[in-house]
Amino acid sequence: MSDALDLPEGPGLPEGYEFSADPARVDVDRVHGWLSSDTYWAQGRPRDKHERAMASSLNFGVYATASGEQVAYARVVTDRALFAWLADVYVDPSVRGKGVGTAFVGRIRDHLAPFGLSRLLLATEDAHEVYARLGFRPLERPEQYMAHSFE
């Protein structure tokens, strides 16, 4: 029996971009600006709440190799054993359509694979096809899941 994971291979990042899991590289100002002003899920998110979320998550970025400028961000909330939630995935509009987003999520998924997680969940209104290419599927039994909203 093989220990290899049966993951669909994600595309590599386009030339000129690099992936990083180093939280020190994240441009917090830029990321907060993106999320709080240019997303449907985090519109108006206060800076202090954003920073608390980042502090309790694994943080990932894609950076232009020539300038070091951050062009994508995502975070993962996880117990590093059984479960993870992929959140706040954002790709700067200037690099959308170049394959950065799909490659980025693939790299995050592959980064998490050694943890031996049972599942990686996410929510999206508009990028189902991107995530499907990387092995994400609708919940098999959504009737088993519930949510509580504090809002």
Side-chain angles (χ1 to χ4, degrees):
M1 185 158 108
S2 170
D3 288 337
L5 297 171
D6 186 21
L7 298 173
E9 186 172 333
L13 280 167
E15 188 173 335
Y17 298 97
E18 62 185 348
F19 170 85
S20 177
D22 180 357
R25 287 191 71 183
V26 174
D27 182 339
V28 179
D29 291 332
R30 184 175 181 96
V31 170
H32 177 255
W34 283 335
L35 296 177
S36 67
S37 67
D38 192 35
T39 66
Y40 62 83
W41 68 88
Q43 192 75 36
R45 180 184 290 168
R47 172 70 181 245
D48 65 316
K49 188 170 266 198
H50 172 70
E51 289 179 1
R52 285 196 327 259
M54 289 181 67
S56 298
S57 303
L58 302 176
N59 294 273
F60 301 94
V62 173
Y63 303 86
T65 52
S67 66
E69 179 180 56
Q70 187 165 0
V71 298
Y73 172 78
R75 64 186 183 88
V76 172
V77 181
T78 183
D79 59 14
R80 299 180 192 211
L82 301 171
F83 175 82
W85 179 267
L86 177 60
D88 290 341
V89 179
Y90 187 90
V91 177
D92 188 272
S94 68
V95 299
R96 290 180 191 164
K98 296 181 180 183
V100 170
T102 302
F104 182 37
V105 172
R107 293 292 302 268
I108 293 168
R109 181 207 57 194
D110 296 348
H111 181 89
L112 298 172
F115 295 170
L117 303 169
S118 298
R119 64 183 41 97
L120 171 60
L121 296 179
L122 62 87
T124 184
E125 287 186 6
D126 57 1
H128 295 82
E129 68 286 343
V130 172
Y131 295 108
R133 287 193 294 261
L134 296 165
F136 288 84
R137 301 287 175 256
L139 295 173
E140 287 183 28
R141 298 186 62 195
E143 68 276 8
Q144 290 182 329
Y145 292 82
M146 297 180 72
H148 175 81
S149 178
F150 288 97
E151 297 178 29

